[in-house]
Amino acid sequence: MSLSSKMLPQSSRGAGARHLVHWLILGVVLALLAAAGMAAAQEQPKSSAKDGFNPKQHFTIVKIEPDAGAEEV
C-alpha cells in the first residue's frame, strides 16, 4: 500500500479527461499568445523617431533631367 494510491486514486477515464482539459487549456493559451504576437507585429510603425531616421535629411534622387539652356554644372 503506497501513500500516493490512497491520496490520489486515478481511474483511466478520469486521467484521460484531465489530460484532455490540460491540452485544451494549452491550446487556448498558445492561440492567445499567437494572436497577441501578430497584433503587436502589425502595430509597429515602419520607422520610428528612436531609430534616428529623419526624412528631411535623407532623400533619394529619382531622375535628373538635363537643361540645354543652362551653361552651369
Side-chain angles (χ1 to χ4, degrees):
M1 238 196 245
S2 69
L3 183 63
S4 63
S5 65
K6 287 183 181 180
M7 298 287 289
L8 300 170
Q10 292 191 6
S11 66
S12 61
R13 196 168 88 193
R18 274 192 299 270
H19 287 295
L20 178 62
V21 169
H22 288 150
W23 280 111
L24 288 174
I25 291 171
L26 179 64
V28 169
V29 169
L30 289 175
L32 289 174
L33 287 173
M38 288 179 8
Q42 290 177 353
E43 290 178 9
Q44 292 178 348
K46 298 287 183 197
S47 64
S48 63
K50 69 180 181 180
D51 66 0
F53 178 74
N54 184 356
K56 292 181 181 180
Q57 293 178 348
H58 300 86
F59 62 93
T60 302
I61 297 174
V62 178
K63 186 176 182 181
I64 300 175
E65 295 181 7
D67 186 6
E71 297 181 11
E72 302 170 352
V73 177

Coordinates of all heavy atoms in Angstrom, one line a residue:
M1 N 0.8 -1.2 0.0 CA 0.0 0.0 0.0 C 0.9 1.2 0.0 O 1.6 1.5 0.9 CB -0.8 0.0 1.3 CG -2.3 0.0 1.0 SD -3.1 0.5 2.5 CE -4.0 -1.0 2.8
S2 N 0.8 2.0 -1.1 CA 1.6 3.2 -1.1 C 0.7 4.4 -0.8 O -0.5 4.4 -0.9 CB 2.2 3.4 -2.5 OG 1.2 3.6 -3.4
L3 N 1.3 5.4 -0.3 CA 0.6 6.6 0.1 C 0.0 7.3 -1.1 O -1.2 7.8 -1.0 CB 1.6 7.6 0.8 CG 1.0 8.8 1.4 CD1 0.0 8.5 2.5 CD2 2.1 9.7 1.9
S4 N 0.6 7.3 -2.2 CA 0.0 8.0 -3.4 C -1.2 7.3 -3.9 O -2.1 8.0 -4.4 CB 1.1 8.1 -4.5 OG 1.4 6.8 -4.9
S5 N -1.3 6.0 -3.8 CA -2.5 5.4 -4.2 C -3.7 5.7 -3.3 O -4.9 5.7 -3.8 CB -2.3 3.9 -4.3 OG -2.1 3.3 -3.0
K6 N -3.5 5.9 -2.0 CA -4.6 6.3 -1.1 C -5.0 7.8 -1.3 O -6.2 8.1 -1.3 CB -4.2 6.1 0.3 CG -4.1 4.7 0.7 CD -3.7 4.6 2.2 CE -3.6 3.2 2.7 NZ -3.3 3.1 4.1
M7 N -4.0 8.6 -1.5 CA -4.3 10.1 -1.6 C -4.9 10.4 -3.0 O -5.8 11.3 -3.0 CB -3.0 10.9 -1.4 CG -2.4 10.7 0.0 SD -3.3 11.5 1.3 CE -3.0 13.2 0.9
L8 N -4.4 9.9 -4.0 CA -4.8 10.3 -5.4 C -5.2 9.0 -6.2 O -4.5 8.6 -7.0 CB -3.7 11.0 -6.1 CG -3.1 12.3 -5.4 CD1 -1.9 12.7 -6.1 CD2 -4.2 13.3 -5.5
P9 N -6.4 8.5 -5.9 CA -6.8 7.4 -6.7 C -7.1 7.9 -8.1 O -7.8 8.9 -8.3 CB -8.1 6.9 -6.0 CG -8.6 8.1 -5.3 CD -7.4 8.9 -4.9
Q10 N -6.6 7.1 -9.1 CA -6.8 7.5 -10.5 C -7.5 6.4 -11.3 O -7.1 5.3 -11.2 CB -5.5 7.9 -11.1 CG -4.8 9.1 -10.6 CD -3.7 9.6 -11.4 OE1 -3.4 9.0 -12.5 NE2 -3.0 10.5 -10.9
S11 N -8.5 6.8 -12.0 CA -9.1 5.9 -12.9 C -8.7 6.2 -14.3 O -8.2 7.4 -14.6 CB -10.6 5.9 -12.8 OG -11.1 7.2 -13.3
S12 N -8.7 5.3 -15.2 CA -8.3 5.6 -16.6 C -9.1 6.7 -17.2 O -8.7 7.5 -18.0 CB -8.2 4.4 -17.4 OG -9.5 3.8 -17.5
R13 N -10.4 6.7 -16.9 CA -11.3 7.7 -17.5 C -11.1 9.1 -16.9 O -11.1 10.0 -17.7 CB -12.8 7.3 -17.3 CG -13.7 8.0 -18.2 CD -15.1 7.4 -18.1 NE -15.8 8.0 -17.0 CZ -16.9 7.6 -16.5 NH1 -17.5 6.4 -16.9 NH2 -17.5 8.2 -15.5
G14 N -10.8 9.2 -15.7 CA -10.6 10.5 -15.0 C -9.3 11.1 -15.5 O -9.2 12.3 -15.7
A15 N -8.2 10.2 -15.6 CA -6.9 10.7 -16.1 C -7.0 11.2 -17.5 O -6.4 12.2 -17.9 CB -5.9 9.6 -16.0
G16 N -7.8 10.5 -18.4 CA -7.9 10.9 -19.7 C -8.6 12.3 -19.9 O -8.3 13.1 -20.7
A17 N -9.7 12.5 -19.0 CA -10.4 13.7 -19.0 C -9.5 14.9 -18.6 O -9.5 16.0 -19.1 CB -11.6 13.6 -18.1
R18 N -8.6 14.6 -17.6 CA -7.7 15.7 -17.1 C -6.7 16.0 -18.2 O -6.4 17.2 -18.4 CB -7.0 15.2 -15.8 CG -7.7 15.5 -14.6 CD -6.9 15.3 -13.3 NE -6.4 13.9 -13.2 CZ -7.1 12.9 -12.6 NH1 -8.2 13.2 -12.0 NH2 -6.6 11.7 -12.5
H19 N -6.2 15.0 -18.9 CA -5.3 15.2 -20.0 C -5.9 16.1 -21.1 O -5.3 17.0 -21.6 CB -4.7 13.9 -20.6 CG -3.8 13.2 -19.7 ND1 -2.5 13.8 -19.3 CD2 -3.8 12.0 -19.0 CE1 -1.9 12.9 -18.5 NE2 -2.7 11.9 -18.3
L20 N -7.2 15.8 -21.4 CA -7.9 16.5 -22.4 C -8.1 18.0 -22.0 O -7.8 18.9 -22.8 CB -9.3 15.9 -22.7 CG -10.2 16.6 -23.7 CD1 -9.5 16.6 -25.0 CD2 -11.5 15.9 -23.7
V21 N -8.4 18.2 -20.8 CA -8.6 19.6 -20.3 C -7.2 20.3 -20.3 O -7.2 21.5 -20.7 CB -9.2 19.6 -18.8 CG1 -9.1 20.9 -18.2 CG2 -10.6 19.1 -18.8
H22 N -6.2 19.6 -19.9 CA -4.8 20.3 -20.0 C -4.5 20.6 -21.4 O -3.9 21.7 -21.7 CB -3.8 19.4 -19.4 CG -3.9 19.3 -17.9 ND1 -3.5 18.2 -17.2 CD2 -4.3 20.1 -17.0 CE1 -3.7 18.3 -15.9 NE2 -4.2 19.6 -15.7
W23 N -4.7 19.8 -22.4 CA -4.4 20.0 -23.8 C -5.3 21.2 -24.3 O -4.8 22.0 -25.1 CB -4.6 18.8 -24.6 CG -3.5 17.9 -24.6 CD1 -3.5 16.6 -24.0 CD2 -2.1 18.1 -25.1 NE1 -2.2 16.1 -24.1 CE2 -1.4 16.9 -24.8 CE3 -1.5 19.1 -25.7 CZ2 0.0 16.8 -25.1 CZ3 -0.2 19.0 -26.1 CH2 0.5 17.9 -25.8
L24 N -6.6 21.2 -23.9 CA -7.4 22.3 -24.3 C -7.0 23.7 -23.8 O -6.9 24.7 -24.5 CB -8.9 22.1 -23.9 CG -9.6 21.0 -24.7 CD1 -11.0 20.7 -24.0 CD2 -9.7 21.3 -26.1
I25 N -6.6 23.7 -22.5 CA -6.1 24.9 -21.9 C -4.8 25.4 -22.6 O -4.6 26.5 -22.9 CB -5.8 24.7 -20.4 CG1 -7.2 24.6 -19.7 CG2 -5.1 25.9 -19.8 CD1 -7.1 24.2 -18.2
L26 N -3.9 24.4 -22.9 CA -2.6 24.7 -23.5 C -2.9 25.3 -24.9 O -2.3 26.3 -25.4 CB -1.8 23.5 -23.6 CG -0.4 23.7 -24.4 CD1 0.5 24.6 -23.6 CD2 0.3 22.3 -24.5
G27 N -3.9 24.7 -25.6 CA -4.2 25.2 -27.0 C -4.8 26.6 -26.9 O -4.4 27.5 -27.8
V28 N -5.6 26.9 -26.0 CA -6.2 28.3 -25.8 C -5.1 29.3 -25.5 O -5.0 30.4 -26.1 CB -7.3 28.3 -24.8 CG1 -7.7 29.7 -24.4 CG2 -8.5 27.5 -25.2
V29 N -4.2 28.9 -24.6 CA -3.1 29.8 -24.2 C -2.2 30.1 -25.4 O -1.8 31.2 -25.7 CB -2.3 29.3 -23.0 CG1 -1.0 30.0 -22.8 CG2 -3.1 29.3 -21.8
L30 N -1.8 29.1 -26.2 CA -1.0 29.3 -27.3 C -1.7 30.1 -28.4 O -1.0 30.9 -29.0 CB -0.6 27.9 -27.9 CG 0.4 27.1 -27.1 CD1 0.7 25.7 -27.7 CD2 1.7 27.9 -26.9
A31 N -3.0 29.9 -28.6 CA -3.7 30.7 -29.6 C -3.7 32.2 -29.1 O -3.6 33.1 -30.0 CB -5.1 30.2 -29.7
L32 N -3.9 32.5 -27.9 CA -3.9 33.8 -27.4 C -2.5 34.5 -27.5 O -2.4 35.6 -27.9 CB -4.4 33.9 -25.9 CG -5.8 33.6 -25.6 CD1 -6.1 33.5 -24.2 CD2 -6.7 34.6 -26.3
L33 N -1.5 33.7 -27.2 CA -0.1 34.3 -27.4 C 0.2 34.6 -28.9 O 0.8 35.6 -29.2 CB 0.9 33.3 -26.8 CG 0.9 33.2 -25.3 CD1 1.9 32.1 -24.9 CD2 1.4 34.5 -24.7
A34 N -0.3 33.7 -29.8 CA 0.0 33.9 -31.2 C -0.8 35.1 -31.7 O -0.3 35.9 -32.4 CB -0.5 32.7 -32.0
A35 N -2.0 35.3 -31.2 CA -2.8 36.5 -31.6 C -2.2 37.7 -31.1 O -2.2 38.8 -31.8 CB -4.3 36.3 -31.1
A36 N -1.7 37.7 -29.9 CA -1.1 38.9 -29.3 C 0.2 39.2 -30.0 O 0.5 40.4 -30.3 CB -0.8 38.7 -27.8
G37 N 0.9 38.3 -30.4 CA 2.2 38.5 -31.1 C 1.9 39.1 -32.5 O 2.6 40.0 -33.0
M38 N 0.9 38.6 -33.2 CA 0.6 39.1 -34.5 C 0.0 40.5 -34.4 O 0.4 41.4 -35.3 CB -0.4 38.2 -35.2 CG 0.2 36.9 -35.6 SD -0.9 35.6 -36.5 CE -2.4 36.4 -36.8
A39 N -0.7 40.8 -33.4 CA -1.3 42.2 -33.2 C -0.1 43.2 -32.9 O -0.1 44.3 -33.4 CB -2.3 42.2 -32.1
A40 N 0.8 42.7 -32.1 CA 2.0 43.6 -31.8 C 2.8 43.8 -33.0 O 3.4 44.9 -33.2 CB 2.8 43.0 -30.7
A41 N 3.0 42.8 -33.9 CA 3.8 43.0 -35.1 C 3.1 44.0 -36.1 O 3.8 44.7 -36.8 CB 4.0 41.6 -35.8
Q42 N 1.8 44.0 -36.1 CA 1.1 44.9 -37.0 C 1.1 46.3 -36.5 O 1.0 47.2 -37.3 CB -0.3 44.4 -37.2 CG -0.4 43.1 -38.0 CD -1.9 42.7 -38.1 OE1 -2.8 43.2 -37.5 NE2 -2.1 41.6 -38.9
E43 N 1.2 46.5 -35.2 CA 1.1 47.9 -34.7 C 2.5 48.6 -34.7 O 2.5 49.8 -34.5 CB 0.7 47.8 -33.2 CG -0.8 47.4 -33.1 CD -1.2 47.3 -31.6 OE1 -0.4 47.7 -30.7 OE2 -2.3 46.8 -31.4
Q44 N 3.6 47.9 -35.0 CA 4.9 48.6 -35.0 C 4.9 49.4 -36.3 O 4.6 49.0 -37.4 CB 6.0 47.5 -35.1 CG 6.1 46.8 -33.8 CD 7.2 45.7 -33.9 OE1 7.7 45.4 -34.9 NE2 7.6 45.2 -32.7
P45 N 5.4 50.7 -36.1 CA 5.5 51.6 -37.2 C 6.7 51.2 -38.1 O 7.6 50.5 -37.7 CB 5.7 53.0 -36.6 CG 6.3 52.7 -35.3 CD 5.7 51.4 -34.8
K46 N 6.6 51.6 -39.4 CA 7.7 51.3 -40.3 C 9.0 51.9 -39.9 O 10.1 51.3 -39.9 CB 7.3 51.8 -41.7 CG 6.1 51.1 -42.3 CD 6.4 49.7 -42.6 CE 5.1 49.1 -43.3 NZ 5.1 47.7 -43.3
S47 N 9.0 53.2 -39.5 CA 10.2 53.8 -39.0 C 9.8 54.7 -37.8 O 8.7 55.3 -37.8 CB 10.9 54.7 -40.0 OG 10.0 55.8 -40.4
S48 N 10.6 54.7 -36.8 CA 10.2 55.4 -35.6 C 11.3 56.5 -35.3 O 12.4 56.5 -35.9 CB 10.1 54.5 -34.4 OG 11.3 53.9 -34.1
A49 N 11.0 57.4 -34.4 CA 11.9 58.5 -34.1 C 13.1 58.0 -33.4 O 14.2 58.6 -33.5 CB 11.2 59.6 -33.3
K50 N 13.0 56.9 -32.7 CA 14.1 56.4 -31.9 C 15.2 55.8 -32.8 O 16.3 55.6 -32.3 CB 13.7 55.4 -30.9 CG 13.2 54.1 -31.4 CD 12.7 53.2 -30.3 CE 12.3 51.9 -30.9 NZ 11.8 50.9 -29.9
D51 N 14.9 55.4 -34.1 CA 16.0 54.8 -34.9 C 16.8 55.9 -35.6 O 17.8 55.6 -36.2 CB 15.4 53.9 -35.9 CG 14.5 54.5 -36.9 OD1 14.3 55.8 -36.9 OD2 14.0 53.8 -37.8
G52 N 16.5 57.2 -35.4 CA 17.3 58.3 -35.9 C 17.1 58.6 -37.3 O 17.8 59.4 -37.9
F53 N 16.1 58.1 -38.0 CA 15.8 58.4 -39.4 C 15.0 59.7 -39.5 O 14.0 59.9 -38.9 CB 15.1 57.3 -40.1 CG 14.7 57.6 -41.5 CD1 15.7 57.6 -42.4 CD2 13.4 57.9 -41.9 CE1 15.4 57.8 -43.8 CE2 13.1 58.2 -43.2 CZ 14.1 58.2 -44.1
N54 N 15.5 60.7 -40.2 CA 14.9 61.9 -40.4 C 14.7 62.1 -41.9 O 15.7 62.3 -42.7 CB 15.7 63.1 -39.9 CG 15.0 64.4 -40.0 OD1 13.9 64.5 -40.6 ND2 15.6 65.5 -39.4
P55 N 13.5 62.0 -42.5 CA 13.3 62.1 -43.9 C 13.7 63.4 -44.5 O 14.0 63.5 -45.7 CB 11.8 61.8 -44.1 CG 11.2 62.1 -42.8 CD 12.2 61.8 -41.7
K56 N 13.8 64.5 -43.7 CA 14.2 65.8 -44.3 C 15.8 65.8 -44.5 O 16.2 66.5 -45.3 CB 13.9 66.9 -43.3 CG 12.4 67.1 -43.2 CD 12.0 68.3 -42.3 CE 10.5 68.4 -42.3 NZ 10.2 69.5 -41.4
Q57 N 16.5 64.9 -43.8 CA 17.9 64.8 -44.0 C 18.3 63.7 -45.0 O 19.4 63.8 -45.6 CB 18.6 64.5 -42.7 CG 18.5 65.7 -41.7 CD 19.2 65.3 -40.4 OE1 19.5 64.2 -40.1 NE2 19.4 66.3 -39.5
H58 N 17.5 62.8 -45.2 CA 17.8 61.6 -46.1 C 16.8 61.7 -47.3 O 15.6 61.7 -47.1 CB 17.7 60.3 -45.4 CG 18.6 60.2 -44.2 ND1 18.3 60.7 -43.0 CD2 19.8 59.7 -44.1 CE1 19.3 60.5 -42.1 NE2 20.2 59.8 -42.8
F59 N 17.3 61.6 -48.5 CA 16.5 61.6 -49.7 C 17.1 60.8 -50.7 O 18.3 60.5 -50.7 CB 16.2 63.0 -50.1 CG 17.4 63.8 -50.6 CD1 17.8 63.8 -51.9 CD2 18.1 64.5 -49.6 CE1 18.9 64.5 -52.3 CE2 19.3 65.2 -50.0 CZ 19.7 65.2 -51.3
T60 N 16.4 60.5 -51.8 CA 16.9 59.8 -52.9 C 16.6 60.5 -54.2 O 15.4 61.0 -54.4 CB 16.2 58.4 -53.0 OG1 16.4 57.7 -51.8 CG2 16.7 57.6 -54.2
I61 N 17.6 60.7 -55.0 CA 17.4 61.4 -56.3 C 16.8 60.3 -57.3 O 17.3 59.3 -57.5 CB 18.7 61.9 -56.9 CG1 19.2 63.0 -55.9 CG2 18.5 62.5 -58.3 CD1 20.6 63.5 -56.3
V62 N 15.6 60.7 -57.8 CA 14.9 59.7 -58.7 C 15.3 59.9 -60.1 O 15.6 59.0 -60.8 CB 13.4 59.9 -58.5 CG1 12.6 58.9 -59.4 CG2 13.0 59.6 -57.1
K63 N 15.4 61.2 -60.6 CA 15.6 61.4 -62.0 C 16.3 62.8 -62.2 O 15.9 63.7 -61.5 CB 14.3 61.4 -62.8 CG 14.5 61.5 -64.3 CD 13.1 61.4 -65.0 CE 13.3 61.4 -66.5 NZ 12.0 61.3 -67.1
I64 N 17.3 62.9 -63.0 CA 18.0 64.1 -63.4 C 17.8 64.4 -64.8 O 18.1 63.6 -65.7 CB 19.5 64.0 -63.1 CG1 19.7 63.7 -61.6 CG2 20.2 65.3 -63.5 CD1 21.2 63.5 -61.2
E65 N 17.2 65.6 -65.1 CA 16.9 65.9 -66.5 C 17.9 67.1 -66.9 O 18.0 68.0 -66.1 CB 15.5 66.4 -66.6 CG 14.5 65.3 -66.4 CD 13.0 65.8 -66.5 OE1 12.8 66.9 -67.0 OE2 12.2 65.0 -66.2
P66 N 18.5 66.9 -68.0 CA 19.5 68.0 -68.4 C 18.7 69.2 -68.9 O 17.6 69.2 -69.4 CB 20.2 67.3 -69.6 CG 19.3 66.3 -70.1 CD 18.5 65.8 -68.9
D67 N 19.4 70.4 -68.7 CA 18.8 71.7 -69.1 C 19.8 72.2 -70.2 O 20.9 72.7 -69.8 CB 18.7 72.6 -68.0 CG 18.0 73.9 -68.3 OD1 17.5 74.0 -69.5 OD2 17.9 74.8 -67.5
A68 N 19.5 72.1 -71.4 CA 20.4 72.5 -72.5 C 20.6 74.0 -72.5 O 21.7 74.5 -73.0 CB 19.8 72.1 -73.9
G69 N 19.7 74.9 -72.0 CA 19.9 76.3 -72.0 C 20.9 76.8 -70.9 O 21.4 77.9 -71.0
A70 N 21.1 76.0 -69.9 CA 22.0 76.4 -68.8 C 23.4 76.0 -69.1 O 23.6 74.8 -69.5 CB 21.5 75.8 -67.5
E71 N 24.4 76.9 -68.8 CA 25.8 76.5 -69.1 C 26.5 76.2 -67.7 O 27.7 76.1 -67.7 CB 26.5 77.7 -69.8 CG 25.9 77.9 -71.1 CD 26.6 79.1 -71.8 OE1 27.7 79.5 -71.3 OE2 26.2 79.5 -72.9
E72 N 25.7 76.0 -66.7 CA 26.3 75.7 -65.4 C 26.3 74.2 -65.2 O 25.5 73.5 -65.7 CB 25.5 76.4 -64.3 CG 25.4 77.9 -64.5 CD 24.4 78.5 -63.5 OE1 23.7 77.8 -62.9 OE2 24.4 79.7 -63.5
V73 N 27.1 73.8 -64.3 CA 27.2 72.4 -64.0 C 26.6 72.2 -62.6 O 26.8 73.0 -61.7 CB 28.6 71.8 -64.0 CG1 28.6 70.4 -63.5 CG2 29.2 72.0 -65.3

